[in-house]
Amino acid sequence: AAEEAPSTSRGAGSSQEARSSSSQGSRRAEASPEVGPRSQQQLELKVAELVQFLLIKDQKKIPIKRTDILKHVIGDYKDIFPDLLKLAAERLEYVFGYKLVELEPKSNTYILINTLEPVEEDAEVRGDQGTPTTGLLMIVLGLIFMKGNTIKETEVWDFLRRLGVYPTKKHLVFGDPKKLITEEFVRQRYLEYRRIPHTDPVDYELQWGPRTNLETSKMKVLKFVAKVHNQDPKDWPAQYCEALADEEARARPETSGPAPSS
Amino acid sequence: MEEGRAERRRRTEAPSHTQGGPRRAGVMTDVHRRFLQLLMTHGVLEEGDVRRLQNHCYRVHDRSAAVEELEDFINNINSVLESLYIEIKKGATEDDGRPVYALVNLATTSVSKMASDFAENELDLFRKALELIIDSETGFASSTNILNLVDQLKGKKMRKKEAEQVLQKFVQNKWLIEKEGEFTLHSRAILEMEQYIRETYPDAVKICNICHSLLIQGQSCETCGIRMHLPCVAKYFQSNSEPRCPHCNDYWPHEIPEVFDPEKEREAGTSRATKRSLRSRQH
């Protein structure tokens, strides 16, 4: 049922005219992939496709590769890819409140950052789990930061055990915590998981991933930790200083901005 | 951007709108953006929950403002969504006429929510189920009949056991509804795919005589064969002691359902939860 009429990204062959269906007020339009000046409507449709593609891909929280965008959506419109991406980014931000950012400079992968702050009551009205702003991920992010931005996997489990979360035991809420932390969160780029060389038995270290730095901040995580302990962020002077410095660095205008690079 | 805009007619178009002139799109604020973001997390949402969602968004961003009338609120957002070829579409459940909303794609492109969630053979299974549902008299296709088609699926080979699970996935994701071993389309699927279905199966498709929309489940006149949705029957024959077919005037032989009343639902409160568990999983 999802295999509808040929998309605009397929090459050569039938060029179909854009037409509007008058029934029910809905319409069906396609752009023909001819070389040369494209109509306003064709461009509009391309941007629309791109916006939808980015939204759908980001829902899975996996960074979107430029190569995938070119392959599945842009196709013959490759020559104006940067313009299409810019237009799509503008629409995403204006209409949905999502900012398109490159995961790391020159990585050619993108994620969507929410410009709206998540609110606790969102959980009551949403239809899915949402981004893990509280819960296991935040706890791990907090642990990592408080321990000096890197922590051994064994230390993580030592801590989580106290909360009834074990690497080998199925958890009622988190399912498979080991898989969640060492695979899922890593795949989503919230965490980095690296083997520590020359350790026996093998141990791994965990650090913040690039998505974490884009979606949250040291100060936000420190505030979370403080809240959990019912204390003030300033009760941890070293971390508080570090978080402040991070805030200042963020406030400074960036030379390589988060806008998608061409 | 303005070219072609005058051609487009939307169902929710305000009657006072003049033809021909460029339409001024509404303005998006954080209230609307949060609403859209959260609406997108649902495949389809009942009107009561949509109102709750709207109220939530006002509370977060603009406590002092008066909550705009839902229809205007949605029309406003739709005028902005128009250039992205999507819209918040309103429909009704076929069994009891509950108003529901879904964010649907207006242009047929290769990018679709369903295509991204399922593999090639799973999509083909859905297509097969869809065809059986459309061809059926009742709007339901039996599990057995669907599963018998697994050998014909495109893509990776699928066994019947696996296909059973895929069908359950469709139910969980609100593309299908299951009732006593038979499957029909969820209101989400009807909202999203009506256009596609009418274009792909023009001969097999059934249309409601009253609202002229796609009909999967409904009642039919035994004399002349016209069909009507259950909620359309309810509205058309409301407080009519002698219901007659609007087309051939023969006596309408079926039980006339009650018109959906949101007030009654709210009053019912806990009894609604009981009713829900007895009914098929719809929402």
Side-chain angles (χ1 to χ4, degrees), chain A residues 89-102:
Chain A
E90 277 169 15
R91 293 270 86 201
L92 275 169
E93 191 161 357
Y94 180 68
V95 179
F96 296 95
Y98 290 125
K99 208 161 161 180
L100 180 73
V101 298
E102 213 170 341

Side-chain angles (χ1 to χ4, degrees), chain A residues 25 27 44 94 117 122, chain B residues 1 9 33-34 56 106:
Chain A
R27 66 214 183 302
E44 211 178 69
Y94 180 68
E117 281 294 325
D122 280 345
Chain B
M1 200 60 134
R9 273 195 298 122
R33 292 183 189 108
R34 189 173 292 261
H56 164 76
L106 293 175

Side-chain angles (χ1 to χ4, degrees), chain B residues 146-169:
Chain B
I146 300 171
L147 295 175
N148 280 339
L149 300 172
V150 286
D151 292 325
Q152 299 172 25
L153 296 178
K154 293 183 202 164
K156 202 170 130 206
K157 187 155 174 65
M158 191 191 291
R159 282 163 296 143
K160 278 192 183 170
K161 230 1 178 177
E162 194 189 334
E164 273 177 3
Q165 287 170 353
V166 176
L167 287 176
Q168 286 312 313
K169 229 180 26 167

Side-chain angles (χ1 to χ4, degrees), chain A residues 19-28 41, chain B residues 2-15 17-21 23 75 78-79 82 85-89 104 106-107 195 198 211-212:
Chain A
R19 49 191 149 89
S20 334
S21 155
S22 55
S23 66
Q24 303 289 319
S26 56
R27 66 214 183 302
R28 190 171 152 253
Q41 188 174 29
Chain B
E2 313 301 2
E3 178 197 23
R5 214 175 259 282
E7 290 174 355
R8 303 181 199 157
R9 273 195 298 122
R10 289 186 303 128
R11 253 184 319 139
T12 49
E13 194 177 318
H17 183 79
T18 53
Q19 301 234 4
R23 185 199 306 275
N75 282 350
N78 277 340
S79 68
E82 202 174 344
Y85 291 77
I86 50 179
E87 80 169 353
I88 301 170
K89 197 166 164 190
V104 303
L106 293 175
Q195 189 70 7
R198 289 174 82 141
C211 70
H212 308 293

Side-chain angles (χ1 to χ4, degrees), chain A residues 72-250:
Chain A
H72 296 288
V73 184
I74 305 297
D76 291 338
Y77 289 65
K78 218 175 0 187
D79 53 314
I80 50 164
F81 170 65
D83 298 311
L84 290 176
L85 197 62
K86 182 157 168 278
L87 283 168
E90 277 169 15
R91 293 270 86 201
L92 275 169
E93 191 161 357
Y94 180 68
V95 179
F96 296 95
Y98 290 125
K99 208 161 161 180
L100 180 73
V101 298
E102 213 170 341
L103 197 58
E104 280 161 312
K106 301 206 182 100
S107 62
N108 286 334
T109 50
Y110 305 94
I111 58 170
L112 297 182
I113 302 291
N114 201 344
T115 60
L116 303 177
E117 281 294 325
V119 150
E120 265 183 56
E121 291 79 16
D122 280 345
E124 294 162 33
V125 287
R126 65 183 314 138
D128 62 5
Q129 250 70 326
T131 48
T133 49
T134 54
L136 198 56
L137 176 62
M138 276 307 271
I139 294 171
V140 175
L141 293 177
L143 266 175
I144 293 170
F145 174 53
M146 300 309 275
K147 282 283 193 173
N149 300 309
T150 187
I151 191 175
K152 293 204 196 98
E153 188 183 351
T154 39
E155 289 179 276
V156 171
W157 295 117
D158 285 339
F159 181 85
L160 290 179
R161 258 183 208 105
R162 290 189 255 158
L163 303 174
V165 180
Y166 305 88
T168 47
K169 209 161 112 178
K170 190 161 196 264
H171 192 270
L172 220 63
V173 174
F174 305 124
D176 184 343
K178 166 111 177 154
K179 194 159 183 233
L180 194 55
I181 293 173
T182 63
E183 288 177 38
E184 188 82 3
F185 291 157
V186 175
R187 203 167 38 87
Q188 295 170 348
R189 312 305 290 278
Y190 284 111
L191 295 176
E192 301 257 354
Y193 184 61
R194 272 187 282 260
R195 188 172 152 184
I196 306 172
H198 315 303
T199 48
D200 184 28
V202 168
D203 204 353
Y204 294 80
E205 65 180 3
L206 283 156
Q207 295 171 341
W208 283 17
R211 187 191 282 267
T212 299
N213 284 306
L214 288 168
E215 284 194 12
T216 187
S217 68
K218 288 177 178 175
M219 188 55 84
K220 285 192 189 145
V221 172
L222 179 59
K223 285 187 176 156
F224 170 79
V225 171
K227 191 166 157 205
V228 163
H229 286 89
N230 219 356
Q231 288 176 253
D232 189 272
K234 298 200 183 93
D235 292 346
W236 292 272
Q239 284 86 352
Y240 186 72
C241 266
E242 199 183 326
L244 265 183
D246 182 58
E247 290 295 288
E248 278 167 35
R250 280 164 189 269

Side-chain angles (χ1 to χ4, degrees), chain B residues 232-250:
Chain B
C232 293
V233 167
K235 255 183 242 159
Y236 188 74
F237 291 131
Q238 198 173 20
S239 51
N240 183 336
S241 51
E242 262 203 43
R244 292 186 165 275
C245 172
H247 191 249
C248 70
N249 211 41
D250 233 20

